[in-house]
Amino acid sequence: IDAVEALIQTRLVSQPSLMKSDRVAIPMFDHGIIYLPAQQGSPGRFLDATNPDSRLGPPVSMDSSGMALLVPDRGEVASQGMELPAQAVGPDGRAQIMQTPKAAAADHGAEAVWTVEISAGGEGVLRAEERHVGDAALLLRTHLRQPDARAQWVEQHLLAGWVPTVEMDPDVAFEGDLPDGAARLTYRARSQLFSRREGADLLVAIAPPMPLTARLAPQPKRSLPVVLPPTVAPRHHDLTVRLEAPISHSFSELPPDLVLEGGSFGRASQSFARAPGRGPRGGEVVVLTREVALEQWSIPASDYPRWRGWLQRIDRLLQHGVRMVPR
């Protein structure tokens, strides 16, 4: 595989104004990756090959929007017919500083589909199938290679807080080498307290273990920018939950559909809809569809109040649940 070495400043230490200057040279690189040049109609792409669980797909988020210096072998590039990015080669033919592509929330994250059967006592049986991409898939490959370790890791890192008193089925299916570096995960779990009882009613609200505002923007004001880690942004989490009520209950009025546009910060939406027909046990079915995408990983202090307000609205959105009342 023809490849070109690339010295890179990851986004954690990136200094674009200094690296683009024509008056100073600061060889301050904290990482080394490779660039696969465009060849025979395929586009060029960066690949972080320092991790054995890396795959050809979206570059890892840490390497995005960083400053890179390609170090090509000119003779090999010419003989192989490889094409380097125009910004990587100066007018004198020497290597130049260039910026790596900007990552998007769609490149990293998960799309999860849950089916939940609620009993009259409030217990829930969860069947899940999830597709992870980018950094999220890399994380699964790192931790789920050994079958015996899968159930405990899923319980602690994917379900903890979202589902109370969870009991995992030990059989967790994992496919880590799907096209474009994606991974697929299938598992089952039970919870004695999936729904909360209010008299004879049952309430179900699927919310994160900690509000986004408390985790990402706890301070009312800031004088310094917020820099989110690659595990947080850019990243998306799409969740579709098919809730089946017990035959003894029916769903009451559903919450309204909401869309929260955050501009450069990202986007969030949530909707509830009654599914036609009934579930396998004869109960009514409601489908929850939720999308949360965090695009911007560096929030200037001047944008902090607006960003914090957007997170607060998302937290209120995620608390919306459904109520099941006795027939």
Side-chain angles (χ1 to χ4, degrees):
I1 298 176
D2 298 315
V4 176
E5 181 183 0
L7 303 179
I8 184 174
Q9 286 186 340
T10 65
R11 79 183 204 190
L12 302 180
V13 300
S14 184
Q15 299 174 308
S17 60
L18 292 178
M19 298 306 295
K20 292 180 179 178
S21 172
D22 59 357
R23 299 189 179 186
V24 296
I26 304 179
M28 185 178 174
F29 300 100
D30 65 320
H31 198 27
I33 60 175
I34 61 174
Y35 178 78
L36 305 179
Q39 191 175 17
Q40 298 178 353
S42 62
R45 61 172 67 183
F46 285 94
L47 172 64
D48 193 333
T50 61
N51 190 320
D53 290 314
S54 293
R55 296 294 183 271
L56 282 173
V60 297
S61 179
M62 184 182 69
D63 298 341
S64 67
S65 303
M67 306 307 297
L69 172 65
L70 268 61
V71 189
D73 181 324
R74 295 292 163 184
E76 183 179 1
V77 168
S79 63
Q80 298 294 334
M82 297 184 290
E83 299 178 11
L84 296 179
Q87 67 269 34
V89 182
D92 57 358
R94 295 181 179 179
Q96 299 290 303
I97 294 291
M98 62 177 292
Q99 193 163 23
T100 59
K102 180 180 178 180
D107 298 331
H108 308 279
E111 300 94 40
V113 179
W114 291 1
T115 300
V116 182
E117 298 176 353
I118 306 294
S119 71
E123 300 87 354
V125 177
L126 166 67
R127 298 191 303 274
E129 181 172 329
E130 302 183 2
R131 181 179 181 271
H132 294 239
V133 296
D135 285 6
L138 173 62
L139 184 67
L140 294 189
R141 281 190 292 271
T142 303
H143 293 281
L144 300 185
R145 288 297 185 188
Q146 298 299 322
D148 293 344
R150 293 173 184 171
Q152 183 176 1
W153 192 91
V154 170
E155 177 183 338
Q156 293 179 347
H157 297 276
L158 297 184
L159 290 181
W162 291 83
V163 180
T165 63
V166 64
E167 300 176 12
M168 287 289 303
D169 188 314
D171 295 326
V172 176
F174 175 64
E175 300 175 75
D177 296 310
L178 301 180
D180 296 322
R184 182 181 293 115
L185 184 65
T186 305
Y187 57 90
R188 290 171 55 94
R190 290 177 174 271
S191 172
Q192 298 297 320
L193 300 173
F194 200 94
S195 58
R196 186 176 77 249
R197 297 188 66 89
E198 288 190 359
D201 294 356
L202 299 174
L203 278 74
V204 176
I206 301 176
M210 181 181 292
L212 290 176
T213 307
R215 185 160 59 99
L216 305 179
Q219 299 170 310
K221 297 181 180 180
R222 281 187 64 93
S223 58
L224 296 175
V226 174
V227 179
L228 301 176
T231 54
V232 174
R235 185 162 291 216
H236 73 277
H237 186 259
D238 298 348
L239 178 63
T240 301
V241 184
R242 183 180 173 88
L243 284 170
E244 182 185 349
I247 194 68
S248 59
H249 287 65
S250 61
F251 289 102
S252 60
E253 183 178 357
L254 300 179
D257 298 348
L258 289 174
V259 177
L260 300 176
E261 295 288 355
S264 61
F265 300 148
R267 185 177 187 272
S269 66
Q270 182 168 271
S271 65
F272 293 87
R274 298 180 187 272
R278 294 183 176 271
R281 300 176 306 155
E284 295 181 1
V285 176
V286 160
V287 178
L288 159 65
T289 304
R290 174 188 295 168
E291 300 177 3
V292 177
L294 300 180
E295 293 282 0
Q296 194 167 331
W297 60 269
S298 179
I299 314 298
S302 58
D303 291 341
Y304 181 77
R306 185 165 59 92
W307 181 66
R308 188 171 189 267
W310 181 64
L311 292 181
Q312 290 174 330
R313 293 194 297 274
I314 295 178
D315 285 332
R316 290 193 291 270
L317 173 75
L318 300 184
Q319 291 297 330
H320 289 180
V322 292
R323 180 183 294 269
M324 291 167 280
V325 298
R327 289 181 178 274

